Amino acid sequence: MSDSQPALLVVSAHAGDFVWRAGGAIAAAARRGERAVVVCLSYGERGESARAWREGKGLDEIKAMRRGEAEDAAAALGAEVEFFDAGDYPLVESREVVDRLVRLYRDVSPTVVLTHPLADPYNGDHPAAARMALDARVLAQAIGYDAPGEPLGAPPVFFFEPHQPEQCDFKPNVLLDITDAFAAKRKAMECLAAQQHMWDYYTDLAARRGVQLTRNAGPNLGFTTETKGEAYMRYYPQVARELA
Ligand SMILES: [Zn+2]
């Protein structure tokens, strides 16, 4: 367990979020042979399973269904997945959930962390997940915090793209090439039958972010009209020995 071993940790409020917003980054990491770990703080059983409720399913049945979908999606991306079952709508911030996250940070020793942005006027669970992810990162760095494992280093945190970016103060400063990983992302999206209306939306978004990526990269880096992208916002400053 060392900071030099790349590992990606994704903190997702609900069972589907990591697929729409970061599936490309997760699949790309897995394709490089890196460890990718997703934690779903809840199943999205109340707030993001409308079709199942309309079909008359019960709470436990919906949770099991969402869990199965997320497991299939994570497998399609090449990621491990954990579920905290902390409840949604609302996802309540608690010392217990933060402590479980600290233990996960110490176990995974991530070199990169992905989570939601800190603002989302449409869904309070998303910022709550982000606050707990950030709080736990800080606590996991403290040698005196009572949890197994070595203190965490300083993995960069990237916010992944929310559904309505302008309202969430989301202004991308990283455009990630997910072209080679996109087939896995689409396959993972298709595991989420409860949110089928999102499949084409996020396929189109990947193409638009790909166009913007190509425009920002300039003509000499080999990007094409087939390039697919995901947008991220870096939370802490980038550290560099030279500007590039
Ligand atoms: Zn969500």
Side-chain angles (χ1 to χ4, degrees), residues 12-17 20-21 44 48 89 116 120 123 125-126 195:
S12 180
H14 309 115
D17 296 330
W20 316 116
R21 318 193 191 294
E48 296 181 4
Y89 275 65
H116 299 264
D120 189 339
N123 192 320
D125 291 1
H126 295 159
Q195 294 174 287

